[in-house]
Amino acid sequence: MDADVIIIGAGLAGLVAGNELIRAGRKVVMVEQENARNLGGQAFWSFGGIFLVDTPMQRRLGVRDSFDLAWQDWQGSAGWDRLDGELPEDEWAQQWGRAYVEFAAGDKRPWLQEQGVKFTPLVGWAERGNGSAAGHGNSVPRFHVPWGTGTGICEPFADKARAAAEEGSLSLRFRHRVDGLVMDGSTVTGVHGTVLAPDDVERGITSNRDAVGAFELRAQAVVVASGGIGGNHEQIRKWWPTRLGTPPSTMITGVPQHVDGRMLDIAADAGVRLVNRDRMWHYTEGVRNWDPVWPQHGIRILPGPSSMWFDALGRRLPAPGLPGHDTIGTLKLLRTTPDLVRYDHSWFILTQKMIEKEFALSGSEQNPDLTNRDLRLLLRSRLGRGAPAPVEAFKDRGEDFVVSDTLRGLVAGMNRLTDTALLDHESIERQIVQRDAQLDNPYSKDVQVMSIHNSRRFLGDRLTRTAGPHRILDPAAGPLIAVKLHVITRKTLGGIQTDLTGRAFDAAGAPIHGLYAAGEAAGFGGGGAHGYNALEGTFLGGCIFSGRTVGRSLAALL
């Protein structure tokens, strides 16, 4: 035996599982196809938001939350509907979903703080929903922002892994690509694969795939924590569900290229049961990065509620196509409307006053104030005059941004960003005037304007995330800004089916001795803990919870 446990993948789920095993005195080998700079995986690049329920931060902002309300929201969003038949795909997913909400309402925050994660007072209101009390969306703000953004979540665990490697309880095998599982009958006893040539590229940059050797490792158990398919457009199109219409002919990418889902197919070929592979999570508010790290590198805009959203033909999107409300609902709207299928983009139109208050960019590198834990910069960039510097940089340098003092000039600039002039100035002006007419009173029949007023009732949004209601065509709020939006790939919501200990199943629905899965590879638990939708702040949290669960299960078993 080379170790008690082999963990495939050095991302957040693998690090958390490894930390639990090492604390229990177990010996761990962690294999990772990328170099040491990539320790922490995708979590490093994230904004770092964490879904928490009924916290002191919420209560200080006047938010009343509870497990019951959060579980109601989770069920309405998940919509698990594969619960019948001999081998129901959602059987364990539903149980993992409830267990995760219990974790989020219980010891998640104090446990993370014990691990070295620190939280800001900020609580965001993500995925505000489809307009139904029983349907998708967060009834209250639950998106808690850590100091350090994604680095503030993953680096405490990465530091523990580095310390364990120095003292010998953890062996980190970078540039080791797993090509298959080693089986002894029906028991997984190890992994085999290819040693890749050294490559000292910076984090996130595509590395070489030159083979320089082979390896085989043995252990009492193997944990698959290798991530999903977000960097592999071919796999995304293969599993794209018919309920979401036609996949875009072009997409931008929200994760490094090596997030390719390769290990999922290797597991399936070995007889491991994968479920809900047609469930996925891609954003519709992506912009091309003017300073890319990986191929087709995109950044997601985290919008406030005020920008007007238009389709490629210049028609205002109906609900649930409102900024920050319903990611999958908006994706479905854009990809199933017959005359939009040939187009891969949509548009925000907003004002300078809106962009200053409402635009944030997802990613640790796009939030230097939070990532560097710089309180003065945080106060200046979030509460001061002007937009945060990274947002202004995209406005000035990003190829998807148009700025003009007049609507006619704005529409002309928007038409220059498409092969054919698709937008009519008079039509867009009419729709904006109709919307602006709803702002003369503190009430409205316009669903989006209602949402703006609702948002302003939450202190956190009023201070940092929602501009005062104003007319888009008011020159004092200008200049006008348009943003060409693309579908940006991100997360796999299905994966290896596991029980509540993280043990994987075979194709016949029987547990596989010696094989476990965690994180995105396991659909964040059970092969689909999110169901069809996510409430945000739940991807990192799902990696943490499933990794902790698997680590503790194996520590007790071995």
Side-chain angles (χ1 to χ4, degrees):
M1 291 287 179
D2 297 286
D4 295 312
V5 178
I6 297 166
I7 298 176
I8 305 170
L12 182 59
L15 289 174
V16 173
N19 180 53
E20 291 296 316
L21 286 159
I22 291 162
R23 288 175 60 194
R26 307 297 185 264
K27 185 178 179 182
V28 177
V29 172
M30 189 173 292
V31 291
E32 167 60 52
Q33 68 178 355
E34 300 306 313
N35 64 26
R37 297 177 187 269
N38 288 276
L39 192 65
Q42 298 176 59
F44 179 92
W45 297 102
S46 72
F47 189 73
I50 292 289
F51 176 94
L52 296 171
V53 177
D54 191 23
T55 65
M57 296 85 98
Q58 287 174 298
R59 292 191 289 271
R60 278 195 292 269
L61 293 170
V63 175
R64 298 177 182 178
D65 200 5
S66 67
F67 166 79
D68 289 337
L69 183 60
W71 178 229
Q72 174 181 299
D73 288 346
W74 194 284
Q75 291 178 92
S77 295
W80 293 295
D81 57 4
R82 297 169 180 173
L83 294 164
D84 299 322
E86 186 178 352
L87 295 173
E89 294 190 48
D90 282 336
E91 176 184 4
W92 291 99
Q94 187 179 54
Q95 294 180 57
W96 269 92
R98 183 177 177 91
Y100 179 73
V101 178
E102 290 173 348
F103 176 55
D107 69 336
K108 182 179 181 181
R109 181 184 60 84
W111 184 80
L112 283 172
Q113 290 176 326
E114 288 175 7
Q115 305 309 306
V117 176
K118 297 180 179 180
F119 289 96
T120 71
L122 301 176
V123 183
W125 197 352
E127 286 298 297
R128 302 177 189 216
N130 62 6
S132 167
H136 169 61
N138 284 295
S139 297
V140 298
R142 298 189 176 107
F143 190 82
H144 292 67
V145 181
W147 280 115
T149 59
T151 70
I153 295 292
C154 69
E155 280 300 295
F157 296 101
D159 287 342
K160 290 177 174 62
R162 296 182 188 104
E166 287 186 9
E167 59 90 17
S169 55
L170 171 65
S171 175
L172 288 167
R173 307 288 182 93
F174 295 106
R175 304 296 290 160
H176 281 56
R177 184 187 68 197
V178 173
D179 297 327
L181 301 173
V182 176
M183 306 285 293
D184 183 2
S186 60
T187 299
V188 174
T189 59
V191 299
H192 65 86
T194 302
V195 179
L196 301 174
D199 196 332
D200 198 34
V201 293
E202 292 295 324
R203 181 190 289 267
I205 294 177
T206 303
S207 62
N208 74 64
R209 290 295 178 264
D210 302 332
V212 296
F215 71 93
E216 183 171 311
L217 297 167
R218 300 273 182 159
Q220 297 182 67
V222 172
V223 178
V224 179
S226 53
I229 65 174
N232 188 334
H233 291 195
E234 181 180 347
Q235 284 284 303
I236 290 168
R237 291 191 174 92
K238 176 181 177 179
W239 295 106
W240 188 276
T242 56
R243 66 180 177 275
L244 294 182
T246 304
S249 58
T250 59
M251 297 179 280
I252 57 179
T253 310
V255 294
Q257 190 175 31
H258 63 257
V259 185
D260 57 10
R262 184 174 174 274
M263 193 63 215
L264 293 176
D265 285 337
I266 290 171
D269 290 343
V272 180
R273 186 165 194 246
L274 273 71
V275 295
N276 299 313
R277 297 194 74 174
D278 63 329
R279 293 180 185 168
M280 51 185 71
W281 187 260
H282 309 303
Y283 295 107
T284 49
E285 314 102 317
V287 291
R288 288 169 287 196
N289 194 344
W290 64 269
D291 187 20
V293 176
W294 51 80
Q296 299 172 288
H297 187 177
I299 296 293
R300 186 213 172 190
I301 294 171
L302 304 174
S306 302
S307 299
M308 290 188 72
W309 204 335
F310 294 85
D311 67 26
L313 299 177
R315 300 169 304 201
R316 188 181 181 192
L317 296 191
L322 304 175
H325 279 69
D326 187 346
T327 292
I328 296 300
T330 305
L331 181 61
K332 181 178 180 179
L333 178 68
L334 292 172
R335 300 310 311 161
T336 60
T337 303
D339 60 356
L340 293 178
V341 169
R342 61 183 294 192
Y343 305 110
D344 296 338
H345 69 279
S346 60
W347 295 96
F348 277 162
I349 291 180
L350 64 154
T351 65
Q352 178 67 25
K353 185 176 179 180
M354 289 177 187
I355 202 172
E356 290 179 359
K357 193 74 171 279
E358 298 197 2
F359 265 32
L361 301 171
S362 183
S364 55
E365 79 282 15
Q366 301 298 333
N367 294 275
D369 50 355
L370 293 165
T371 300
N372 298 326
R373 310 183 189 206
D374 188 330
L375 181 58
R376 289 185 179 179
L377 180 59
L378 174 69
L379 294 174
R380 187 166 66 249
S381 63
R382 311 284 167 162
L383 299 178
R385 295 179 61 85
V391 174
E392 280 292 334
F394 265 82
K395 193 183 83 172
D396 293 341
R397 303 184 186 186
E399 59 186 293
D400 293 315
F401 285 71
V402 181
V403 181
S404 177
D405 289 326
T406 67
L407 183 62
R408 188 171 295 277
L410 190 78
V411 173
M414 295 163 73
N415 278 328
R416 285 193 292 270
L417 295 187
T418 55
D419 294 335
T420 304
L422 302 172
L423 305 176
D424 175 71
H425 165 259
E426 284 72 24
S427 173
I428 290 179
E429 182 179 44
R430 181 174 61 255
Q431 294 173 84
I432 294 176
V433 168
Q434 290 168 346
R435 176 264 186 202
D436 281 358
Q438 297 294 307
L439 294 173
D440 289 338
N441 298 286
Y443 43 84
S444 170
K445 72 174 183 179
D446 185 281
V447 174
Q448 184 177 9
V449 175
M450 291 184 211
S451 177
I452 294 168
H453 289 309
N454 196 37
S455 181
R456 295 278 295 178
R457 293 188 181 96
F458 169 49
L459 179 60
D461 272 5
R462 188 165 71 250
L463 290 175
T464 65
R465 292 289 285 144
T466 307
H470 62 276
R471 293 174 180 262
I472 286 178
L473 296 181
D474 181 357
L480 293 168
I481 301 163
V483 187
K484 187 180 181 183
L485 305 172
H486 310 268
V487 173
I488 179 171
T489 65
R490 192 59 64 89
K491 293 297 179 186
T492 310
L493 298 187
I496 296 171
Q497 190 175 47
T498 62
D499 65 15
L500 285 176
T501 69
R503 184 171 51 170
F505 292 99
D506 66 17
I512 300 174
H513 185 66
L515 185 65
Y516 291 71
E520 195 172 348
F524 303 95
H530 292 91
Y532 288 98
N533 286 288
L535 290 175
E536 292 287 33
T538 55
F539 298 132
L540 296 185
C543 289
I544 290 164
F545 181 57
S546 59
R548 190 180 84 152
T549 297
V550 166
R552 290 184 174 185
S553 298
L554 283 169
L557 178 67
L558 301 179

